[in-house]
Amino acid sequence: MLEDKLKRYAQSGIYPFHMPGHKRNFSGCLPYELDVTEIDGFDNLHEPDGCLREIEHRAERLYNSKRAFLLVNGATAGILASVRAITHRGDTVITARNCHKSVYNAIELCGLNPVYILPDTIDDHNFFGAVSPGRVKELLLGNPNARLVIITSPTYEGICSDVKKISEICRDHGAKLLVDEAHGAHFPFCADFPQTALECGADVSVVSLHKTLPAPTQTALLLTNDISLEKPLQNQLSVFQTSSPSYLLMCGIEKCLDFAENNSFKEYNKMLDGFYRESLRLKKLSLLFNCYGASPVDKGKLVILTDKTALTGRELADMLREEFKLETEMSGADYVIAMTSVCDTKDGFDRLLSALLEIDGRIEYSDKELKFIIPTTLPQKVFDPCDAVLLKHGDPALIRSDGVVSLDYIYAYPPGIPFVVPGELISREMLEAFSSLSKLGLKISNYERYSRILKSLP
Ligand SMILES: Cc1ncc(COP(=O)(O)O)c(C=O)c1O
């Protein structure tokens, strides 16, 4: 039974440096006896004007937004609804290539023409950095009909883009800016965190409460300062959210907002500062936040770099779990992300620090030749994603004289950012890069299928 499995994990003594942000350390069990549906007096999520609208008003106050909507199907529902509310079929959307798969799904479902921006790369690290405002401007100049720009800020690794500049550029070119701020729900609650996307001028943002705040999994908010979008957003949310929203989840959103309003994040901030200070004692492992100053970073994400050692991210994550009972959020080729929140304890931070110091003491420096594995060029687009999926009748690819066109996504999960999108050409070089990635322990979805297809060609 899943229940037994969950209980075993809860009792295992493993410390969670992963989502959800309540860390199972937040009083307020939400029981069956409170689980109701939209009976009289309990408002309607799809047309709220009572108790649910009051929660939205509270979110508007706390996030300084003109309109907030409750999401019970994650930031995913907010992203799908926003893209559909702002665009028309066939529109061009400027999209950062490191967007979450919900953005790609929205583009496909809405029949849009994506023009991608590759975010900056950071030194030798294998993850994307910020989106360059100059590049957004170039693409808007080259695509004057683009209605929407979509970026992710902060990224999974906590790196923020210059949303202020990007939003000014979007405004100058008549495009709306949607910021996937799923990992930044905690930003308004401590001056040491980066500014929110709406404060920086974004038209719409989506925050996952469950990722970094004490809120149940699936809970999130859609926020906008553009009141002309209120009706279209509400209409589209009715398409992408269930008609039976869980009152327990919505109650969880209210409790989370209540917590954020009435509690200080100072102690959490202090623990983070202490952790970073002490982690300067690490010699071979290092923390991204301690060595990166190019753009604002969410220090709540502990990005532990293994690039100067022989360890892969996966190996470090396994050691932390198996030897120290510390479960992290994700591991990449040469880094591990440990997610923190205001619900973390001093004991948790101390356990992680001493585990890292102990591991650091027993490993050696290594100049491993790790090929750069995040894409630094984009695959050639042959079809828009919506047209490519229509060509898929059981076949994952279209074999043409100019190459193999993918009809599916190829991505590593986590973080779920696609290397190849339906309608793009797959090259042999790409498959070689995926092969090195899978040898490093990363799961690359669809890689083997495409590898077999390319190998079978003359
Ligand atoms: C950058 C980013 N955006 C959006 C999402 C989707 O958020 P949710 O799980 O709240 O639907 C995720 C999920 O991991 C994410 O990492």
Side-chain angles (χ1 to χ4, degrees):
M1 294 266 288
L2 178 59
E3 186 184 6
D4 298 328
K5 205 172 155 67
L6 290 169
K7 282 185 176 161
R8 265 200 308 280
Y9 182 65
Q11 287 155 9
S12 65
I14 294 177
Y15 190 92
F17 279 105
H18 57 77
M19 299 183 239
H22 56 68
K23 305 289 181 118
R24 291 175 277 117
N25 178 29
F26 185 60
S27 64
C29 191
L30 293 167
Y32 276 106
E33 59 259 36
L34 300 185
D35 193 13
V36 296
T37 185
E38 287 128 320
I39 45 175
D40 198 37
F42 280 84
D43 211 356
N44 171 2
L45 178 65
H46 298 285
E47 244 175 293
D49 62 2
C51 55
L52 300 180
R53 187 70 190 100
E54 273 172 32
I55 306 175
E56 291 179 341
H57 281 315
R58 194 165 191 180
E60 284 154 15
R61 233 182 29 252
L62 289 173
Y63 283 85
N64 207 2
S65 88
K66 293 205 173 114
R67 187 70 173 90
F69 300 92
L70 310 184
L71 303 175
V72 290
N73 187 21
T76 298
I79 289 169
L80 291 165
S82 306
V83 174
R84 191 144 188 250
I86 299 173
T87 59
H88 297 298
R89 192 156 283 273
D91 278 352
T92 296
V93 284
I94 312 285
T95 309
R97 186 69 180 199
N98 61 338
C99 280
H100 181 255
K101 62 182 180 175
S102 53
V103 170
Y104 291 87
N105 288 336
I107 288 171
E108 182 194 314
L109 285 172
C110 299
L112 304 174
N113 159 36
V115 173
Y116 298 109
I117 310 180
L118 269 176
D120 298 338
T121 46
I122 307 176
D123 301 330
D124 287 336
H125 301 310
N126 274 299
F127 43 82
F128 284 118
V131 168
S132 141
R135 191 72 191 119
V136 174
K137 188 169 177 178
E138 265 170 46
L139 289 181
L140 282 170
L141 284 169
N143 297 275
N145 296 327
R147 269 176 184 269
L148 175 63
V149 173
I150 312 172
I151 62 169
T152 299
S153 178
T155 61
Y156 207 170
E157 292 77 22
I159 295 168
C160 295
S161 293
D162 187 342
V163 179
K164 212 170 198 165
K165 262 203 196 130
I166 295 174
S167 66
E168 282 163 13
I169 293 166
C170 289
R171 211 164 308 120
D172 289 348
H173 289 81
K176 303 271 185 218
L177 176 64
L178 163 62
V179 178
D180 175 353
E181 204 177 17
H183 289 269
H186 56 302
F187 284 4
F189 307 116
C190 180
D192 269 36
F193 299 143
Q195 274 191 298
T196 69
L198 285 196
E199 276 168 347
C200 294
D203 296 287
V204 181
S205 75
V206 185
V207 295
S208 291
L209 298 173
H210 68 95
K211 292 195 196 302
T212 57
L213 285 175
T217 300
Q218 287 188 218
T219 56
L221 295 170
L222 170 57
L223 305 164
T224 184
N225 272 341
D226 183 343
I227 218 63
S228 74
L229 290 175
E230 179 178 21
K231 195 84 191 114
L233 288 171
Q234 181 82 75
N235 290 344
Q236 293 308 323
L237 284 172
S238 296
V239 174
F240 293 107
Q241 297 223 86
T242 171
S243 58
S244 311
S246 158
Y247 274 74
L248 297 183
L249 290 184
M250 294 188 286
C251 186
I253 294 179
E254 187 180 39
K255 283 182 81 72
C256 168
L257 298 177
D258 191 62
F259 173 90
E261 187 161 21
N262 295 311
N263 287 274
S264 164
F265 283 53
K266 271 196 193 137
E267 193 51 37
Y268 167 47
N269 192 37
K270 218 167 98 192
M271 287 194 292
L272 283 170
D273 286 345
F275 183 88
Y276 281 106
R277 210 172 34 248
E278 289 298 313
S279 67
L280 289 171
R281 287 156 56 199
L282 296 169
K283 296 202 165 55
K284 297 139 210 160
L285 298 170
S286 55
L287 270 287
L288 177 71
F289 188 76
N290 279 337
C291 58
Y292 176 72
S295 56
V297 175
D298 169 20
K299 61 180 169 179
K301 285 278 169 60
L302 307 177
V303 181
I304 308 154
L305 306 169
T306 65
D307 55 336
K308 290 196 231 80
T309 78
L311 283 183
T312 62
R314 176 70 182 269
E315 284 162 350
L316 176 62
D318 289 347
M319 283 164 104
L320 289 170
R321 181 187 316 104
E322 284 155 25
E323 296 180 42
F324 300 93
K325 289 195 154 198
L326 299 166
E327 186 68 41
T328 50
E329 167 68 22
M330 73 85 82
S331 51
D334 55 357
Y335 69 101
V336 169
I337 301 179
M339 273 179 79
T340 68
S341 88
V342 67
C343 291
D344 277 304
T345 61
K346 171 93 173 52
D347 178 54
F349 279 107
D350 288 349
R351 278 174 63 181
L352 181 60
L353 182 68
S354 62
L356 293 177
L357 286 168
E358 189 182 325
I359 294 170
D360 193 67
R362 68 166 111 116
I363 54 175
E364 296 301 327
Y365 285 109
S366 163
D367 276 344
K368 66 174 171 259
E369 243 317 291
L370 189 67
K371 266 198 210 152
F372 210 58
I373 42 194
I374 57 164
T376 47
T377 53
L378 286 168
Q380 190 189 329
K381 182 168 111 179
V382 183
F383 304 108
D384 278 335
C386 56
D387 297 326
V389 294
L390 292 179
L391 295 168
K392 192 172 140 192
H393 301 289
D395 296 327
L398 200 67
I399 297 162
R400 308 188 343 157
S401 56
D402 55 348
V404 173
V405 182
S406 173
L407 301 181
D408 224 324
Y409 291 92
I410 305 181
Y411 59 84
Y413 201 89
I417 297 168
F419 296 115
V420 180
V421 170
E424 292 179 338
L425 279 180
I426 311 172
S427 66
R428 284 182 201 276
E429 297 76 55
M430 266 181 215
L431 285 178
E432 274 165 31
F434 302 150
S435 156
S436 350
L437 269 183
S438 65
K439 279 183 201 138
L440 291 170
L442 267 79
K443 273 196 207 129
I444 313 284
S445 73
N446 289 327
Y447 150 66
E448 277 166 14
R449 270 158 94 202
Y450 287 110
S451 177
R452 273 197 301 276
I453 293 171
L454 259 84
K455 277 186 192 143
S456 70
L457 296 178

